[in-house]
Amino acid sequence: MSPAELFALPFMQRALIAALLTGLAAPAIGTFLVQRRLALMGDGIGHVAVTGVAIGLVTNTSPTWAAVVVAVLGAVLIETIRERGQTNGDVALALLFYGGLAGGILVSGIDGQSASSLNRYLFGSLTTISAGDVIVTMVLSVAVIGLSVGLAPQLFAVAQDQEFARVAGLQVRAYNLLVAVLAAVSVTVAMRTVGLLLVSALMVVPVATSQQLTRSFRTTIGAAMVLGAFASVGGLVLATFASYKATVAPGPTIVLLALACYVVAWPIGIWTRHRARLREPFAEGQIPLHESCEEHPHAHGPGCGHLAVPHDDHVDYVHDGHRHAEHGAHYDEH
């Protein structure tokens, strides 16, 4: 079977749609978790969702909707513990980690099922997703994306400085709960794509990658959604082609592709930040001394191709990581 014939099959088309929507939704809400330094919250909620999946399997109801209900309750609980209790965020997440996973294994065992029945939810099973699951994924993804992007200014203000947001009249507690609930919904949306144990990667890694390349919040969230969609669809396509030679699961491939994007973006981010610092004018009173440079291989000036930075009464040109300034018949650098 050729690749074109393979991607024309209904189950592959359903997988592509689910991967695209998951890749857009998970980083959208993940951006606010990263801003609040709760990057591992998705992991904690994912472990709680294991209990919901087990309840769905034992009661012969929809594991997806059962996971949504249990994950939302878990997210609200962790937000309440974090806000009102004496427990900090890390300890509250640890409680969810252990309690959620243990609850899932316990409940699945009550019905005589082994923990292996949870595997397709723990590690993802994108190519077996049904038409009904795709519809659920579409509805929940659109809700997460719409609320995350539509309320981005309010959610960003609360994530950055809660005291300022409270003074500005924002309902901080309500927005914190909304972020927790949207994170829980995103986890359940992504559990068939990358699995509950890897879902946090799709919420965090695209955001960390976009932060290497962007400066404003709007471009960060937009770039993270694009990167998430690229990793999800690209990982599925790579796993499909690789499966001609060996058994390759889409979920881990998606996560590894997202991590590869970060590895590529990291040195680029370092270089662009260095360039940005060179562009900044020296603060008043902090201008370093010029060092004489008797010989210089380039004649800097307008159109020379090097970055020009106005400085004091002259213009510096950025070249080889230094600023060169023409002074009379010679160049100085600093």
Side-chain angles (χ1 to χ4, degrees):
M1 180 179 292
S2 68
E5 292 174 330
L6 182 61
F7 283 102
L9 295 175
F11 80 90
M12 283 302 302
Q13 293 176 352
R14 291 196 296 271
L16 286 170
I17 294 172
L20 176 63
L21 292 172
T22 304
L24 290 171
I29 190 63
T31 303
F32 301 104
L33 296 182
V34 173
Q35 290 286 334
R36 296 173 59 186
R37 301 183 185 278
L38 290 173
L40 292 180
M41 189 173 183
D43 253 346
I45 297 173
H47 282 66
V48 173
V50 174
T51 300
V53 171
I55 292 174
L57 292 174
V58 170
T59 58
N60 290 321
T61 56
S62 169
T64 301
W65 284 113
V68 169
V69 173
V70 175
V72 168
L73 291 176
V76 172
L77 177 62
I78 189 174
E79 184 58 32
T80 303
I81 293 174
R82 192 186 66 81
E83 184 186 50
R84 297 187 176 182
Q86 298 299 319
T87 308
N88 60 34
D90 288 342
V91 176
L93 283 174
L95 296 176
L96 288 184
F97 267 57
Y98 306 133
L101 190 57
I105 296 173
L106 178 66
V107 172
S108 63
I110 291 176
D111 196 40
Q113 301 184 51
S114 65
S116 61
S117 60
L118 298 173
N119 277 354
R120 57 179 172 166
Y121 297 95
L122 293 177
F123 301 103
S125 182
L126 189 55
T127 54
T128 63
I129 192 168
S130 66
D133 287 335
V134 172
I135 294 174
V136 172
T137 300
M138 291 175 66
V139 172
L140 296 180
S141 297
V142 169
V144 171
I145 295 170
L147 290 171
S148 299
V149 175
L151 296 175
Q154 293 90 333
L155 297 179
F156 175 74
V158 172
Q160 282 294 103
D161 190 337
Q162 295 198 7
E163 291 303 321
F164 174 80
R166 193 171 284 111
V167 171
L170 296 177
Q171 296 295 323
V172 173
R173 180 178 299 172
Y175 285 119
N176 281 336
L177 283 174
L178 178 62
V179 170
V181 170
L182 291 180
V185 173
S186 298
V187 166
T188 53
V189 165
M191 71 179 180
R192 295 299 299 271
T193 304
V194 294
L196 292 171
L197 295 182
L198 294 175
V199 64
S200 191
L202 199 54
M203 300 174 75
V204 172
V205 176
V207 180
T209 304
S210 67
Q211 285 181 331
Q212 297 296 318
L213 306 174
T214 60
R215 292 294 171 267
S216 72
F217 175 75
R218 287 188 180 278
T219 53
T220 296
I221 191 171
M225 293 173 67
V226 172
L227 287 167
F230 169 76
S232 298
V233 176
L236 174 62
V237 172
L238 286 176
T240 302
F241 282 114
S243 295
Y244 280 97
K245 301 293 184 182
T247 302
V248 178
T253 308
I254 290 170
V255 174
L256 290 175
L257 181 58
L259 288 171
C261 292
Y262 179 82
V263 170
V264 172
W266 181 56
I268 297 175
I270 293 175
W271 180 76
T272 53
R273 286 193 292 273
H274 175 67
R275 292 277 296 178
R277 284 195 295 271
L278 291 175
R279 292 170 184 264
E280 295 174 355
F282 294 119
E284 187 174 352
Q286 299 179 1
I287 301 175
L289 298 175
H290 285 103
E291 296 180 7
S292 178
C293 179
E294 298 297 340
E295 296 183 0
H296 194 275
H298 299 283
H300 290 302
C304 71
H306 295 100
L307 179 65
V309 182
H311 167 211
D312 204 7
D313 60 349
H314 58 276
V315 177
D316 289 344
Y317 290 91
V318 179
H319 174 218
D320 289 342
H322 299 279
R323 291 188 184 186
H324 298 271
E326 184 177 7
H327 291 283
H330 68 282
Y331 281 88
D332 288 343
E333 65 179 41
H334 55 184

